[in-house]
């Protein structure tokens, strides 16, 4: 078997084309242009490049976006005050603080200061609680992108055994919750899991979010499994690769996401969706 590749880049482009129409319609019906403010603290090159990608994608669909760049030595209080001002500003629909932050600033405090109605990253505890209880909310972008990719290929989720490797608050835990909401049976694995293969080989859908190149190989999966590779790892030659050994796994999986052009572009597309949702307002 050779897996069908789920091309996140193409799917994200399709979604952006649809969102462009949605943004135009919103402008015509309500004279609202969704506005996203991104805050970047410091000079981390990877963060700069992510922020650039988010702004470019926003502009493409007609979302107005603004970048607030703050120096590395910004104090926690200065950042919190900037966020509080944006919370009060009615023309700002979505606020995103690019992570990671310098170590002298508490990420949790920052996340909790963003008004939940503007929490387009979906990291605020209120957004997380609403997701867990199945209420309308901003879904965290990477998990939301993964579920959208599965649905785009009509991959059955209900009743399937989903195994997730990784339990971070931004990827592993929430993607499990979303798939549980879709009636999957979910198993979480992590660095303390004993005999990882005994779990991965049971997976109908395997989601890998570890952050280590090529941990998952062909022998770890069952024939016909759907494999979603979230990892982004930079090799010595500067190229990007996933947590999954693409060349071997492609021979046994039924569907596989590549890195790059897989989950990454979907994450940004979901941020745009959340920003449009913020401009329209959450339902109770
Ligand atoms: P974290 O470092 O927060 O979490 C990694 C998880 O992997 C942890 O739960 C850890 O376990 C687990 N883990 C580490 N080593 C092993 C191992 N050998 N076996 C089993 N589990 C292991 O990472 P993130 O969740 O933030 O990101 C994961 C990857 O996804 C990274 O490469 C990141 O760059 C990428 N990413 C990609 C995005 C995209 O848009 N494509 C978006 C966000 C992240 P423990 O909890 O026990 O430490």
């Amino acid at each position: 078997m050779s897996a069908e590749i789920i091309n996140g880049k193409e799917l994200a482009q399709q979604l952006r084309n649809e969102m462009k129409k949605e943004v135009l319609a919103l402008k015509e019906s309500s004279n609202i242009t969704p506005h996203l403010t991104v805050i970047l603290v410091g000079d981390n090159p990877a963060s700069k490049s992510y922020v650039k990608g988010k702004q470019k994608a926003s502009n493409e669909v007609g979302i107005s976006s603004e970048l607030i760049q703050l120096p590395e030595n910004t104090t926690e209080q200065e950042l919190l005050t900037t966020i509080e001002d944006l919370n009060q500003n009615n023309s700002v629909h979505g606020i995103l603080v690019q992570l990671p932050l310098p170590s002298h600033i508490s990420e949790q405090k920052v996340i909790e200061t963003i008004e939940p109605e503007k929490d387009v990253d979906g990291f605020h505890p209120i957004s997380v609680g609403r997701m867990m209880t199945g209420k309308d909310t901003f879904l965290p972008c990477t998990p939301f992108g993964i579920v959208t990719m599965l649905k785009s290929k009509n991959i059955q989720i209900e009743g399937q055994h989903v195994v997730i490797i990784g339990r971070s608050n931004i990827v592993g835990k929430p993607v499990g919750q979303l798939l549980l909401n879709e009636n999957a049976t979910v198993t979480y694995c992590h660095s303390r899991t004993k005999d990882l293969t005994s779990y991965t080989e049971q997976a109908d859908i395997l989601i890998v979010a570890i952050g280590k190149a090529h941990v998952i190989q062909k022998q770890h999966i069952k024939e016909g499994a759907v494999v979603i590779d979230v990892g982004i790892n930079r090799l010595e030659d500067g190229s990007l690769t996933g947590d999954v050994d693409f060349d071997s796994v492609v021979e046994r999986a039924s569907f596989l996401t590549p890195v790059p052009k897989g989950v990454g572009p979907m994450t940004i597309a979901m941020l745009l969706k959340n920003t449009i949702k913020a401009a329209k307002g959450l339902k109770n």
Side-chain angles (χ1 to χ4, degrees):
M1 177 183 269
S2 182
E4 181 174 338
I5 306 306
I6 312 179
N7 186 324
K9 190 176 176 203
E10 275 175 21
L11 180 57
Q13 182 63 59
Q14 266 177 39
L15 294 172
R16 288 200 298 277
N17 295 344
E18 287 163 20
M19 283 189 270
K20 207 169 178 174
K21 292 181 196 147
E22 200 179 342
V23 169
L24 270 177
L26 185 63
K27 172 87 181 153
E28 276 172 21
S29 64
S30 320
N31 201 25
I32 294 173
T33 299
H35 180 92
L36 172 69
T37 298
V38 177
I39 304 177
L40 175 64
V41 185
D43 294 315
N44 179 328
S47 294
K48 272 186 165 172
S49 134
Y50 289 138
V51 162
K52 212 170 149 191
K54 287 168 185 177
Q55 287 208 291
K56 185 168 170 255
S58 300
N59 296 340
E60 183 187 331
V61 305
I63 291 174
S64 82
S65 75
E66 169 199 15
L67 173 63
I68 300 181
Q69 261 183 298
L70 299 174
E72 182 84 19
N73 62 1
T74 302
T75 65
E76 183 177 278
Q77 193 48 54
E78 282 167 338
L79 178 57
L80 298 182
T81 304
T82 305
I83 296 169
E84 278 156 7
D85 290 346
L86 293 168
N87 285 342
Q88 299 302 321
N89 183 341
N90 288 337
S91 64
V92 174
H93 301 110
I95 303 170
L96 181 148
V97 180
Q98 183 64 43
L99 303 178
L101 290 168
S103 56
H104 63 277
I105 301 178
S106 155
E107 289 188 354
Q108 201 51 36
K109 258 194 204 167
V110 166
I111 288 169
E112 291 182 18
T113 302
I114 296 172
E115 173 65 42
E117 304 285 309
K118 302 188 179 190
D119 174 35
V120 286
D121 248 345
F123 294 161
H124 192 290
I126 289 182
S127 305
V128 176
R130 289 178 70 98
M131 174 186 71
M132 289 198 72
T133 50
K135 286 193 163 180
D136 189 36
T137 190
F138 303 110
L139 300 177
C141 301
T142 302
F144 188 14
I146 292 169
V147 175
T148 305
M149 288 176 108
L150 294 172
K151 289 188 174 173
S152 78
K153 292 290 180 187
N154 293 317
I155 292 167
Q156 184 168 348
I157 299 172
E158 181 164 328
Q160 298 299 91
H161 186 188
V162 176
V163 176
I164 299 163
I165 320 181
R167 55 172 166 177
S168 70
N169 287 338
I170 62 169
V171 187
K173 276 186 208 157
V175 76
Q177 185 64 50
L178 286 186
L179 292 166
L180 183 63
N181 292 352
E182 299 281 341
N183 299 318
T185 301
V186 178
T187 300
Y188 287 101
C189 300
H190 45 78
S191 69
R192 319 285 168 87
T193 300
K194 289 182 189 155
D195 192 5
L196 189 64
T197 310
S198 68
Y199 297 96
T200 59
E201 67 189 10
Q202 287 181 44
D204 299 310
I205 301 175
L206 179 66
I207 299 177
V208 192
I210 301 174
K212 290 183 183 149
H214 303 176
V215 171
I216 294 301
Q217 312 259 340
K218 182 179 175 176
Q219 68 270 24
H220 298 126
I221 69 160
K222 78 172 175 191
E223 186 78 38
V226 174
V227 180
I228 306 289
D229 188 357
V230 186
I232 303 175
N233 308 288
R234 199 169 281 283
L235 294 176
E236 275 180 11
D237 66 3
S239 62
L240 294 181
T241 194
D243 292 347
V244 173
D245 176 32
F246 185 93
D247 292 342
S248 74
V249 168
V250 74
E251 292 171 12
R252 187 173 275 186
S254 57
F255 289 91
L256 176 60
T257 64
V259 178
K261 300 186 185 169
V263 175
M266 291 299 291
T267 297
I268 298 187
M270 297 303 115
L271 170 68
L272 307 181
K273 259 196 179 298
N274 280 349
T275 305
I276 297 170
K277 191 181 185 78
K280 291 181 173 177
L282 286 180
K283 299 183 196 89
N284 279 324

